[in-house]
Amino acid sequence: AQTVTQSQPEMSVQEAETVTLSCTYDTSESDYYLFWYKQPPSRQMILVIRQEAYKQQNATENRFSVNFQKAAKSFSLKISDSQLGDAAMYFCAYRSAYGSGLGKLTFGQGTILTVHP
Amino acid sequence: ETGVTQSPTHLIKTRGQQVTLRCSSQSGHNTVSWYQQALGQGPQFIFQYYREEENGRGNFPPRFSGLQFPNYSSELNVNALELDDSALYLCASSSSGSKSSYNEQFFGPGTRLTVL
């Protein structure tokens, strides 16, 4: 079974600064997908960025980028130029690319991000 | 195009009762997944429905059951409620067809269930 671990329960950053959220995972599969989701107090889970394991290039979406280290099974999220609206709970998630694992997301415990003005 | 909607928003039940939660998929989506999110925790996968059949299940007992209807909306039923069932229940819809199409899971706002 796959597991996802987020070792930082809480992180804080000053507005306009950069912050990195950590995530590690464990799997025996070679093909899979990794995601970062954001959950603000409104509870709506929003996809921030995704990475396909077979792609070596790190994904980037505007101010959000990842550092994907497949051998180390590490998948961190970097938020540049942090904004007040980035404050939320962030979840790292794993999805298999095979069989009955399709569609099932395995989430980490989450990291609460606080942005200070 | 409407997003994923869930009803009700909040629900209070007592131990031993039964509850039904509802989810309407995003337009064009034929797959629905349900998740349980305890307070301060990450969501846990309950099960997934594709074309009205269960298509994958997490580590949840049989008293958690579901349905998917021809219009792809879905219900989550929980029998014999226990205190530990208190949580936020999220549904997510997506469209099948290819491996990559499962990437886009769109979540609803959730139903907050409190069991007393």
Side-chain angles (χ1 to χ4, degrees):
Chain A
Q2 295 80 28
T3 59
V4 178
T5 301
Q6 293 177 249
S7 58
Q8 305 157 316
E10 297 182 30
M11 291 286 284
S12 64
V13 63
Q14 290 293 131
E15 196 174 5
E17 297 293 308
T18 296
V19 65
T20 298
L21 308 184
S22 301
C23 172
T24 59
Y25 59 94
D26 189 27
T27 183
S28 58
E29 298 175 335
S30 59
D31 194 11
Y32 49 86
Y33 299 85
L34 295 166
F35 306 85
W36 278 98
Y37 280 89
K38 168 186 177 181
Q39 188 177 41
S42 67
R43 311 182 319 201
Q44 192 99 30
M45 195 76 76
I46 302 165
L47 178 64
V48 174
I49 197 167
R50 68 171 178 261
Q51 175 78 42
E52 295 157 350
Y54 60 87
K55 289 187 177 179
Q56 292 187 344
Q57 186 174 6
N58 289 325
T60 300
E61 288 286 344
N62 300 314
R63 298 183 295 108
F64 299 88
S65 61
V66 298
N67 183 6
F68 173 49
Q69 301 289 328
K70 190 172 184 179
K73 296 179 181 174
S74 170
F75 182 61
S76 61
L77 173 70
K78 185 172 81 171
I79 306 174
S80 303
D81 186 25
S82 296
Q83 301 175 359
L84 294 177
D86 294 334
M89 176 81 96
Y90 285 80
F91 291 99
C92 178
Y94 172 102
R95 180 181 82 72
S96 174
Y98 304 106
S100 62
L102 287 173
K104 172 188 174 183
L105 290 167
T106 300
F107 287 87
Q109 306 93 317
T111 297
I112 299 172
L113 178 65
T114 302
V115 181
H116 298 289
Chain B
E1 182 179 279
T2 57
V4 179
T5 60
Q6 292 186 243
S7 63
T9 304
H10 296 91
L11 200 54
I12 299 175
K13 291 286 188 178
T14 58
R15 194 170 49 181
Q17 285 188 312
Q18 178 266 344
V19 68
T20 297
L21 310 181
R22 294 178 175 83
C23 172
S24 291
S25 304
Q26 183 161 315
S27 176
H29 288 180
N30 56 12
T31 302
V32 173
S33 302
W34 285 92
Y35 295 83
Q36 180 195 66
Q37 185 179 15
L39 193 63
Q41 302 293 316
Q44 299 288 319
F45 176 75
I46 302 175
F47 45 54
Q48 179 185 82
Y49 276 81
Y50 169 63
R51 292 185 177 178
E52 302 178 52
E53 292 192 2
E54 189 178 292
N55 181 36
R57 188 178 183 94
N59 189 26
F60 281 81
R63 60 188 185 85
F64 285 78
S65 63
L67 284 173
Q68 187 181 30
F69 301 99
N71 66 353
Y72 303 127
S73 65
S74 177
E75 287 182 353
L76 164 65
N77 299 290
V78 187
N79 294 322
L81 283 167
E82 300 177 359
L83 297 180
D84 285 348
D85 295 334
S86 294
L88 180 68
Y89 288 85
L90 299 167
C91 80
S93 75
S94 58
S95 59
S96 68
S98 67
K99 185 173 71 172
S100 63
S101 71
Y102 277 90
N103 282 337
E104 297 293 343
Q105 287 200 23
F106 293 85
F107 282 82
T111 293
R112 172 74 66 190
L113 173 65
T114 301
V115 182
L116 302 176

